Amino acid sequence: MSENIEKISENMAKLSLKWLSADDEFPDVRNHSNHMAKVLNLEMYKLLRERVTPNGFTIDGVIQTGVDNPGHPFIMTVGCVAGDEETYEVFKELLDPVIEARHGGYKPTDKHKTDLNSGNLKGGDDLDPDYVLSSRVRTGRSIRGFCLPPHCSRGERRAVEKLSVEALGSLSGDLKGKYYALKNMTEAEQQQLIDDHFLFDKPVSPLLLASGMARDWPDARGIWHNDNKTFLVWVNEEDHLRVISMQKGGNMKEVFARFCTGLTKIETLFKERGHAFMWNEHLGYVLTCPSNLGTGLRAGVHVKLPNMSKHGKFEEVLTKLRLQKRGTGGVDTAAVGGVFDISNADRLGFSEVELVQMVVDGVKLLVEMEKRLEKGQSIDDLMPAQK
């Protein structure tokens, strides 16, 4: 009897998948502005529609966010996500070209570099605090053996939370802290986390919603931070873990050292519990969005550049330094009072140390340019070469 039920279930799954042809199911992405839409064609869709990952993730799950969100003609989004670690291999005909386009020509044969030795960073403790208001380094981590947020079940999400709470609860010294589950939070705790700019709320971004990342909110989501409020971990948002080291002022060296130490300790604690982080030598650390592969690292500072930001060559200088700017409220926000969030543009193909070094060196130069412009002096001799 049970065998018959299994067979019926299997046939129903096949039937629902093959009831209509690939021609009937192929999405209309002709006018979309994302990397997925530029790569996907009917022939590729026909090929990939026949495949499924061991956890049941399909090509339609990969591309749904890019189908639902056409993007902006001037802002190329990625347009796809992974549902599990195997997604990047099973659907590589689509994802390899997307990764290559998003990460500056990174080839399927390239090997990624990892370097979490903060002692290899040169300088970083001397960014001018009159201009650099705060420094922060963040990354994501995925726990091997579980589906990623777009595809995980409630039980998997809860298991990730349980493991995370156990591991983070073992941290000591400067990293000792407390976990706050979103669904159990008191109003006072919630207000304190909002005041500290720590709280992440239910995703409202259509990119995240279309990917299925907000299912069952706020079940098994939470925030852990150390007592000093300088080391923070988000659990089960866009990635299993988002790890953040931050503090006021311009001491990026200190921020990065804490980041590396904390991250290494967390990884060891997870391994002791039988769970490594997803990593391979080609993609580095594997995360939900292809844009975050490799290091997943974003090192950023809030820096005052009221004069430099008005200079005609501001964008060109940022590009040459491999940096990007956004408003201090995050992606797609405007700068207020000439204060920008400046961070590394790359994630994959460079090590963690190399990316933080680019930010340290680049921000130092931008502050020097700002000081010149304050005095009405030329910055032509400071123009950088392409990094």
Side-chain angles (χ1 to χ4, degrees):
M1 181 70 177
S2 65
E3 279 179 27
N4 286 343
I5 290 171
E6 278 177 26
K7 197 155 273 184
I8 290 166
S9 300
E10 197 179 312
N11 289 338
M12 286 296 285
K14 285 179 183 168
L15 187 64
S16 63
L17 195 64
K18 302 291 186 284
W19 178 246
L20 294 169
S21 71
D23 297 77
D24 293 321
E25 296 285 5
F26 186 64
D28 183 358
V29 292
R30 284 169 299 182
N31 298 319
H32 284 42
S33 181
N34 59 54
H35 289 297
M36 175 278 293
K38 303 294 179 209
V39 174
L40 188 70
N41 57 41
L42 180 58
E43 286 311 304
M44 185 184 288
Y45 184 71
K46 280 180 181 172
L47 173 75
L48 299 183
R49 198 166 168 259
E50 300 297 318
R51 299 182 194 166
V52 64
T53 70
N55 298 298
F57 202 56
T58 66
I59 186 60
D60 285 303
V62 174
I63 66 173
Q64 194 63 53
T65 184
V67 174
D68 291 353
N69 297 282
H72 188 282
F74 303 117
I75 303 169
M76 279 286 278
T77 52
V78 175
C80 50
V81 293
D84 51 23
E85 188 169 10
E86 294 81 3
T87 298
Y88 288 104
E89 182 61 30
V90 173
F91 303 110
K92 63 184 178 185
E93 287 87 350
L94 169 69
L95 291 169
D96 280 353
V98 166
I99 290 165
E100 190 169 336
R102 173 60 182 79
H103 293 283
Y106 192 80
K107 300 275 190 297
T109 50
D110 288 344
K111 301 267 194 292
H112 177 72
K113 299 177 274 187
T114 295
D115 182 3
L116 285 165
N117 181 353
S118 62
N120 292 335
L121 182 70
K122 296 176 180 69
D125 53 354
D126 53 355
L127 297 177
D128 191 333
D130 289 338
Y131 294 83
V132 180
L133 308 179
S134 63
S135 307
R136 149 188 169 131
V137 183
R138 68 88 163 149
T139 190
R141 289 292 185 265
S142 306
I143 302 162
R144 186 161 278 158
F146 295 99
C147 289
L148 296 169
H151 190 55
C152 67
S153 69
R154 291 181 199 99
E156 282 183 296
R157 204 182 293 113
R158 289 167 185 164
V160 166
E161 182 188 40
K162 184 170 183 288
L163 258 175
S164 304
V165 171
E166 280 177 18
L168 294 166
S170 304
L171 292 171
S172 57
D174 287 353
L175 298 174
K176 185 180 152 299
K178 183 182 174 186
Y179 180 73
Y180 300 86
L182 257 59
K183 67 178 184 181
N184 301 331
M185 214 176 273
T186 66
E187 274 189 38
E189 286 171 340
Q190 191 171 344
Q191 192 54 52
Q192 186 59 57
L193 290 166
I194 289 169
D195 293 343
D196 291 331
H197 304 291
F198 285 0
L199 194 65
F200 66 91
D201 205 351
K202 182 173 182 173
V204 292
S205 161
L207 294 166
L208 298 185
L209 293 175
S211 306
M213 293 187 215
R215 289 170 300 129
D216 309 307
W217 198 272
D219 193 29
R221 275 81 169 194
I223 297 164
W224 177 95
H225 68 72
N226 68 342
D227 297 338
N228 297 336
K229 299 184 177 180
T230 55
F231 192 70
L232 177 70
V233 181
W234 291 356
V235 178
N236 285 325
E237 194 226 14
E238 183 180 334
D239 293 300
H240 289 156
L241 303 174
R242 272 282 168 97
V243 180
I244 304 158
S245 174
M246 60 191 186
Q247 67 191 49
K248 298 284 185 205
N251 197 334
M252 182 59 90
K253 193 177 190 72
E254 210 169 82
V255 171
F256 186 52
R258 185 189 311 111
F259 173 83
C260 294
T261 304
L263 207 47
T264 307
K265 283 186 179 173
I266 290 170
E267 183 156 16
T268 303
L269 290 165
F270 272 96
K271 281 181 179 169
E272 285 170 2
R273 286 158 177 77
H275 288 276
F277 289 153
M278 294 180 194
W279 182 91
N280 65 60
E281 61 177 15
H282 168 51
L283 295 177
Y285 286 99
V286 174
L287 294 169
T288 298
C289 182
S291 67
N292 284 324
L293 290 166
T295 59
L297 181 139
R298 184 174 173 277
V301 298
H302 285 185
V303 57
K304 285 194 277 193
L305 300 169
N307 295 291
M308 185 61 203
S309 59
K310 294 191 192 91
H311 194 279
K313 296 206 167 169
F314 184 42
E315 298 283 353
E316 185 190 327
V317 169
L318 289 174
T319 302
K320 285 183 171 175
L321 295 172
R322 303 189 82 99
L323 299 177
Q324 60 186 9
K325 68 171 171 65
R326 51 173 78 166
T328 52
V331 184
D332 301 333
T333 62
V336 179
V339 179
F340 288 84
D341 183 334
I342 303 287
S343 62
N344 52 295
D346 301 288
R347 303 279 184 272
L348 182 60
F350 296 91
S351 73
E352 289 80 358
V353 169
E354 286 173 326
L355 292 177
V356 176
Q357 194 70 61
M358 281 182 204
V359 173
V360 165
D361 296 346
V363 168
K364 216 170 175 179
L365 179 62
L366 287 168
V367 169
E368 197 179 337
M369 289 174 153
E370 178 65 26
K371 288 176 179 176
R372 285 262 192 105
L373 292 170
E374 274 174 19
K375 297 171 186 165
Q377 296 171 353
S378 168
I379 58 168
D380 291 350
D381 60 314
L382 295 177
M383 291 300 286
Q386 180 64 55
K387 277 191 178 269

